[in-house]
Amino acid sequence: MCRSIKTLRPPALPEQATEEDIHAAALQYVRKVSGFRAPAAHNREVFDHAVEAIAEATAQLLGGLEVRGAASRVS
């Protein structure tokens, strides 16, 4: 997988992941999968939609994870 995507859940990231962290990870994923660092104009809409969908799914995942030893859920 893409080495520049960092783990966003504690304890790898002690503080909560920000929207910027989540968006950056989603962007790196879409770039890796699509093979484009920046899409051509005719692919921009689908590229941006994919980034947003993956960012949303990532936020849901992080919000639902339970970290052992933590009293509450990570969000």
Side-chain angles (χ1 to χ4, degrees), residues 10-69:
L13 185 66
E15 67 278 1
Q16 291 184 352
T18 66
E19 285 186 31
E20 291 87 19
D21 293 329
I22 292 170
H23 185 269
L27 179 59
Q28 288 298 326
Y29 178 81
V30 172
R31 285 176 173 169
K32 183 69 168 186
V33 170
S34 70
F36 297 116
R37 184 173 184 334
H42 63 278
N43 287 324
R44 171 59 64 187
E45 185 177 347
V46 71
F47 187 93
D48 290 344
H49 177 73
V51 171
E52 293 309 314
I54 292 167
E56 183 178 322
T58 300
Q60 289 175 359
L61 171 66
L62 293 174
L65 288 176
E66 293 184 28
V67 180
R68 283 189 165 191

